[in-house]
Amino acid sequence: MNAHIASVSFTRGAHATARAVSLTARQLSEVELGLFLLSQLSPSAPPTALPALLNGSDLLGAERPVWTAKQHKYWQRGQLLLARFREPSVWNRLIERYALLTGTLAAYDVSGDRSCFREKSVGFFRNRTATFRQMLA
């Protein structure tokens, strides 16, 4: 299956409209890799903080502890793999769409106000976070 062509579409519960949420397989994996990176480097940061993290912005500096060598490696690889998300508008559009996904497809729950996120158990490809860890290692 070509990751650029495959898409995932469905509507959200009773509040569903004619507009379905749609993400390509690539977009889904990139968003989850970004959320995984945030969870490893700045777990208390909101999901919208990824561009600041990738840009090395001081926005996260006040709360960021001293990183281990492994965390520095994650950050450097994340900067390469997720370079297009240095632009906040690109990331925010995708995180908004990702947050509307329901069911077992998404590996993370993102709060409605985008202030926090957490990993969840998923029925579809349960080993995604292990895969992300390997991608960044």
Side-chain angles (χ1 to χ4, degrees), residues 33 36 74 77 81 127-137:
L33 179 60
F36 174 78
Y74 277 11
R77 295 218 172 135
L81 293 170
N127 296 322
R128 279 189 280 207
T129 55
T131 301
F132 297 145
R133 187 172 281 109
Q134 290 174 350
M135 286 175 67
L136 295 173

Side-chain angles (χ1 to χ4, degrees), residues 6-133:
S7 67
V8 180
S9 299
F10 48 96
T11 56
R12 186 176 178 102
H15 295 67
T17 64
R19 194 180 106 199
V21 175
S22 179
L23 290 172
T24 65
R26 178 181 177 173
Q27 289 170 328
L28 179 69
S29 63
E30 286 177 333
V31 168
E32 291 183 348
L33 179 60
L35 292 173
F36 174 78
L37 183 64
L38 268 175
S39 74
Q40 298 302 300
L41 302 181
S42 190
S44 63
T48 55
L50 184 69
L53 179 71
L54 294 174
N55 288 319
S57 173
D58 289 335
L59 296 175
L60 298 175
E63 77 175 55
R64 182 177 71 198
V66 175
W67 285 342
T68 65
K70 181 179 181 179
Q71 288 173 310
H72 276 288
K73 189 181 219 181
Y74 277 11
W75 181 66
Q76 290 170 338
R77 295 218 172 135
Q79 284 185 305
L80 292 172
L81 293 170
L82 302 170
R84 71 189 197 105
F85 297 129
R86 289 179 181 214
E87 174 57 45
S89 64
V90 174
W91 174 252
N92 290 336
R93 269 194 308 273
L94 279 180
I95 202 69
E96 287 296 321
R97 289 170 41 204
Y98 182 84
L100 295 174
L101 295 177
T102 59
T104 59
L105 186 64
Y108 292 90
D109 281 323
V110 177
S111 66
D113 64 358
R114 311 303 175 255
S115 64
C116 61
F117 68 99
R118 66 178 173 82
E119 187 177 338
K120 67 178 184 176
S121 297
V122 294
F124 177 74
F125 192 19
R126 292 181 189 265
N127 296 322
R128 279 189 280 207
T129 55
T131 301
F132 297 145
R133 187 172 281 109

